[in-house]
Amino acid sequence: MDLAALVADVARTRQGDMLPLAAQRPADAAAFAAPAVTPPTTGLEMITLASSSKGNATLVRAGGTALLVDAGISARRITQALQRHGVNPAALAGILLTHEHSDHTTGLAQLLKCYDLPVYTTRATWRALGETAVTYARRFAEWTGPQEFGPLRAERFATSHDAADPGGFVFMTARCKGAVCTDLGYVTATVEQALQEADLLVLEANHNADMLRRGPYAPHLKARILGTRGHLENEESARLLTRLFRGKPLQVILAHRSQTNNTVALVEEAVRRIIDREGMTAGILPQHAEILGSVHIAETEEE
């Protein structure tokens, strides 16, 4: 990697819906009870270690292989969360970055200081990390196409968000498919195609449009979030789920929820209303990601 060129191209990008948020789980978070799931020894598992406009990190694993998607909370919290789920951070196969905004990268530099891990992302995203990219240049593993991590095949797809080169990730095993898909802006044909036939989704349901419009954010920030390079609204997320449903169970973690411009109850109302209307209540199985908490979502392989 040409370090001099990288330094010249470094761009500090610290954007995102990042106004201060309360750290406590809201009282209405019990509205969706997380289904009882036993972590599988085979198949595919995705665990949200943190998910909100304040910070995002997702553990994806299959068999003995584990990946971290984003590192938007402190390295200490990520380490503690991984250890609670039986994962040694030093044994991660890598960190996959969706984009450079601080709610997805806050803990990255400290993680790289503590653990010798590769970071898989695009060149534009890496350059946008600024000093972290320069300091840890040798950790950069440029994403140029599908990657194999033990039993996991990972593919990246582009999203519409105001970052250097934003994207999401699809993960496949022999019988399962999952995806981490937040910071969407809007649902492009590329996104919808990438999510087809998924069994498991971590999907953005960021805001309620009316609550955002009436809320305390400055006009330019409201316009950004509502725009095609911002974040996905509750009803947009619900309509996408109905288009993705193909008759087999679709397990969903509704993620990246704004505490300022959304509530669990509003997410639930939008999703339930739309999937009920389409007659898909029994097939689409939603739950909520907790703020700095963890939620399991898994589908085991059958013999």
Side-chain angles (χ1 to χ4, degrees):
M1 181 175 186
D2 186 344
L3 185 58
L6 175 59
V7 173
D9 287 338
V10 161
R12 295 182 178 279
T13 305
R14 291 295 182 265
Q15 301 175 0
D17 180 8
M18 291 293 295
L19 296 186
L21 303 178
Q24 296 181 351
R25 187 185 185 194
D28 60 353
F32 280 160
V37 176
T38 301
T41 55
T42 60
L44 178 63
E45 184 179 23
M46 300 195 299
I47 303 170
T48 53
L49 307 180
S51 181
S52 72
S53 294
K54 188 175 183 179
N56 300 272
T58 302
L59 169 64
V60 178
R61 62 182 173 183
T65 299
L67 294 163
L68 182 67
V69 180
D70 291 333
I73 55 174
S74 72
R76 177 181 60 83
R77 286 176 169 166
I78 289 173
T79 296
Q80 291 172 344
L82 290 172
Q83 290 173 341
R84 283 198 302 271
H85 294 288
V87 176
N88 178 358
L92 288 168
I95 301 171
L96 279 58
L97 289 187
T98 60
H99 63 294
E100 73 276 7
H101 290 167
S102 60
D103 56 327
H104 295 259
T105 61
T106 290
L108 180 63
Q110 188 63 30
L111 278 176
L112 296 181
K113 181 178 180 180
C114 295
Y115 308 108
D116 188 10
L117 299 171
V119 180
Y120 293 86
T121 193
T122 65
R123 186 171 294 274
T125 296
W126 183 254
R127 286 174 170 169
L129 290 172
E131 289 180 0
T132 298
V134 175
T135 303
Y136 297 101
R138 71 177 184 84
R139 309 290 184 85
F140 174 47
E142 185 174 7
W143 194 280
T144 57
Q147 304 280 340
E148 303 286 341
F149 301 96
L152 281 169
R153 177 181 173 87
E155 297 180 358
R156 187 181 186 275
F157 56 92
T159 63
S160 174
H161 190 56
D162 54 355
D165 188 10
F169 291 98
V170 168
F171 301 93
M172 290 166 284
T173 63
R175 297 189 177 106
C176 305
K177 178 178 178 179
V180 176
C181 191
T182 64
D183 300 78
L184 284 178
Y186 74 105
V187 180
T188 65
T190 297
V191 168
E192 193 159 337
Q193 179 61 37
L195 301 184
Q196 293 294 327
E197 304 300 327
D199 303 291
L200 316 173
L201 288 178
V202 175
L203 178 66
E204 178 173 54
N206 176 258
H207 63 276
N208 171 274
D210 290 337
M211 189 173 180
L212 173 61
R213 291 188 181 100
R214 296 194 307 267
Y217 282 11
H220 75 277
L221 185 53
K222 292 179 181 181
R224 172 191 171 262
I225 295 169
L226 290 166
T228 59
R229 301 190 68 201
H231 292 280
L232 207 62
E233 199 266 346
N234 296 341
E235 292 196 358
E236 294 173 315
S237 302
R239 287 193 291 270
L240 173 60
L241 291 176
T242 65
R243 296 197 300 273
L244 294 175
F245 182 63
R246 293 293 184 270
K248 64 179 181 177
L250 175 58
Q251 298 187 63
V252 185
I253 297 177
L254 297 164
H256 212 301
R257 177 174 55 83
S258 169
Q259 281 191 297
T260 302
N261 303 305
N262 212 353
T263 67
V264 171
L266 286 171
V267 178
E268 180 180 13
E269 188 280 327
V271 172
R272 290 297 185 197
R273 171 168 43 83
I274 290 173
I275 67 176
D276 284 353
R277 185 181 67 201
E278 300 296 328
M280 299 174 179
T281 304
I284 299 175
L285 309 173
Q287 58 179 293
H288 287 285
E290 293 181 15
I291 306 302
L292 302 184
S294 61
V295 179
H296 293 75
I297 184 167
E299 179 158 317
T300 56
E301 295 177 349
E302 298 178 356
E303 295 297 329

